[in-house]
Amino acid sequence: MSDRDAMSAALGAAIQAVGGHAVVADKLGISTQAVWQWSICPPVRVLPLEALSGVSRHRLRPDMFGECDEGCSLVPAAEAGLVAEATQ
């Protein structure tokens, strides 16, 4: 699997974990159409989507945050809370 395919799969998993494109859009304050246009997670949306979905930034954008080592697949609760507050 290519890096781009892996990022696309991670994005799909994150969207599904949150409840779908419309729910992601609502939580991020953007249009559903915008979310449907993503082939990989846009850089500005990585941290908020990580907080919403629990899918690690390392899986969503390894090109930006590096490869996922063991244990990085879960978002630290304190960090997720800070990002979640910023998206509300």
Side-chain angles (χ1 to χ4, degrees):
M1 182 182 293
S2 74
D3 287 345
R4 190 155 186 92
D5 290 341
M7 288 187 281
S8 181
L11 175 62
I15 290 170
Q16 184 176 17
V18 176
H21 291 79
V23 178
V24 170
D26 183 57
K27 297 282 186 183
L28 296 179
I30 60 176
S31 71
T32 302
Q33 292 84 357
V35 178
W36 275 104
Q37 291 178 4
W38 300 347
S39 57
I40 60 174
C41 190
V44 70
R45 304 294 182 196
V46 173
L47 298 180
L49 187 58
E50 176 186 56
L52 291 171
S53 68
V55 176
S56 170
R57 68 189 76 176
H58 300 279
R59 289 186 57 213
L60 289 167
R61 289 301 298 260
D63 59 327
M64 295 175 58
F65 296 100
E67 294 293 327
C68 185
D69 295 330
E70 250 184 74
C72 76
S73 60
L74 298 176
V75 178
E79 187 174 329
L82 291 174
V83 176
E85 289 173 14
T87 62
Q88 294 176 359

